[in-house]
Amino acid sequence: MSVPWEEYFQMVLEEKLLAEKPQVHEDNYINHATQLLEKKRETVEVEEALQAKKKEFQVKMSALKQRREALEQKEAALKESMDTEAKQSRSLRRAEEGRQTAAQKEAEAMALKAELTRLIQRKEQLEHRLNKYRPFAQYLEQVVAQSEEFQEIPELMTRFNGLSETQVILSEREQTLHKAVEDARAELFKLVEEKNDEILKQNNRLADLQLRLEEVRTQALQWESRWVHIQNTAAQKTLLLGQIKMVALNLFQMVCKQKKEVPALAVEDTEGQLEQVQQYFQDLSATLAKLTRENLGPAAADH
């Protein structure tokens, strides 16, 4: 922004005066006249310097003005050239955009035409389906007309949709239960197979045990037969033993009677009794042998 000439020079003058303000001398010997002359001289110098600055400023402003005018001319020429190029560029760009827009519009027109054809086909299909389902719509209208619960078809369809959803839920539950039943059945079949295998094993083991039992029973019968035989034999032996004891007791008593002794052994001491009887017969045999020798001695002498 340009500054007016008066204000500019006034500022330069104030700066000069402020820059060259005289100092206060401590001795204070200079009088007021000398100070006034000094001020006038300084004012003349400032004025001359101001004029010089003014001329310099005018020269600079003139050069700046010429330079500004040249720059404005160059800027105008450049702007004109740029406007021309911009106009050409805009024209070319607009022509290209026009061609692209035309092609795009043509493509959009073809797409719209194809879409229109598709919509016409879709309309024909819907009309065909509408004609196909029209009897059902008429049937629904009759149902609504005869029903006291529903006033309009949407109410009936809402109720139907609700029932359909309920049916779907029930069907899903049924499928879930069916799957659970199938799983349980498979598990049961698995358990039955396992139990059948276990039963088969137990039956085989039972058969083995029964076979072993039959063998044991056979052996038991054999041992029982042997036991009976042993018992019978033992009875016979016991009877024979009783008879032997009775004979031994009788012989012992006869020996005691022959010896004229009182039996000193118990009745049950069969072994002691037999030893006494044996000792008696041994003594008797020795006596008979002695007597025989004695009797044979004289007879041999007679011969």
Side-chain angles (χ1 to χ4, degrees), residues 3-265:
V3 182
W5 295 108
E6 293 79 3
E7 294 181 3
Y8 175 75
F9 290 121
Q10 184 69 26
M11 287 189 295
V12 173
L13 180 59
E14 290 177 356
E15 292 176 357
K16 185 69 176 177
L17 291 173
L18 290 173
E20 300 178 358
K21 183 178 181 180
Q23 298 180 357
V24 178
H25 299 282
E26 295 180 357
D27 52 7
N28 206 5
Y29 292 126
I30 302 174
N31 55 23
H32 292 288
T34 304
Q35 291 181 359
L36 182 59
L37 290 174
E38 186 69 22
K39 287 289 185 183
K40 287 182 179 180
R41 186 181 62 78
E42 292 178 355
T43 303
V44 171
E45 291 178 356
V46 170
E47 184 68 24
E48 290 176 356
L50 182 61
Q51 292 297 326
K53 292 286 185 182
K54 184 177 180 181
K55 288 180 181 180
E56 184 182 358
F57 181 74
Q58 287 177 351
V59 172
K60 289 182 178 181
M61 290 299 296
S62 177
L64 182 61
K65 183 178 180 181
Q66 291 176 0
R67 187 177 179 183
R68 184 183 293 114
E69 289 176 354
L71 289 174
E72 289 178 353
Q73 290 177 0
K74 290 182 180 180
E75 183 180 358
L78 182 61
K79 184 176 182 181
E80 183 178 358
S81 176
M82 291 178 64
D83 290 340
T84 302
E85 292 179 357
K87 288 179 181 179
Q88 292 178 357
S89 178
R90 285 196 297 271
S91 298
L92 292 175
R93 187 169 64 252
R94 288 176 181 175
E96 181 64 24
E97 291 176 354
R99 286 193 295 271
Q100 293 179 358
T101 302
Q104 184 178 1
K105 293 296 183 183
E106 184 177 359
E108 291 178 355
M110 295 298 293
L112 290 174
K113 184 176 180 181
E115 182 67 16
L116 179 61
T117 302
R118 188 184 67 81
L119 291 175
I120 292 173
Q121 294 176 355
R122 181 61 177 169
K123 179 183 177 183
E124 292 176 353
Q125 293 176 357
L126 292 176
E127 288 179 350
H128 178 71
R129 292 180 64 183
L130 181 62
N131 293 327
K132 180 179 178 181
Y133 293 113
R134 190 179 299 278
F136 298 101
Q138 294 175 355
Y139 173 74
L140 293 176
E141 291 176 354
Q142 294 177 2
V143 171
V144 171
Q146 297 176 1
S147 175
E148 296 180 356
E149 182 178 358
F150 305 103
Q151 301 297 326
E152 296 180 357
I153 293 179
E155 296 179 1
L156 177 61
M157 295 305 297
T158 301
R159 180 64 178 279
F160 176 76
N161 292 331
L163 294 176
S164 298
E165 292 177 357
T166 303
Q167 183 182 5
V168 171
I169 294 173
L170 293 176
S171 177
E172 292 176 353
R173 289 182 180 177
E174 183 181 1
Q175 292 177 0
T176 303
L177 292 175
H178 181 70
K179 185 177 182 302
V181 170
E182 291 296 328
D183 293 341
R185 183 176 297 170
E187 185 68 20
L188 178 61
F189 180 76
K190 181 180 179 181
L191 291 175
V192 169
E193 290 293 328
E194 293 177 354
K195 292 300 179 182
N196 287 334
D197 294 339
E198 185 66 23
I199 290 172
L200 181 61
K201 292 180 181 179
Q202 295 296 333
N203 288 334
N204 293 333
R205 185 178 179 185
L206 180 61
D208 294 338
L209 291 175
Q210 287 179 345
L211 180 61
R212 181 61 179 167
L213 179 61
E214 292 297 329
E215 294 177 355
V216 171
R217 285 178 177 176
T218 302
Q219 293 178 359
L221 291 174
Q222 292 176 357
W223 283 109
E224 185 176 359
S225 177
R226 290 180 181 180
W227 175 247
V228 171
H229 176 70
I230 290 171
Q231 287 181 337
N232 294 331
T233 303
Q236 294 175 0
K237 295 295 183 181
T238 301
L239 181 60
L240 180 60
L241 180 61
Q243 293 175 355
I244 291 172
K245 286 182 176 183
M246 185 61 66
V247 171
L249 180 60
N250 292 330
L251 289 173
F252 175 69
Q253 290 176 353
M254 289 174 64
V255 168
C256 291
K257 187 177 180 181
Q258 288 293 329
K259 294 172 66 176
K260 296 179 181 181
E261 295 177 358
V262 178
L265 297 177

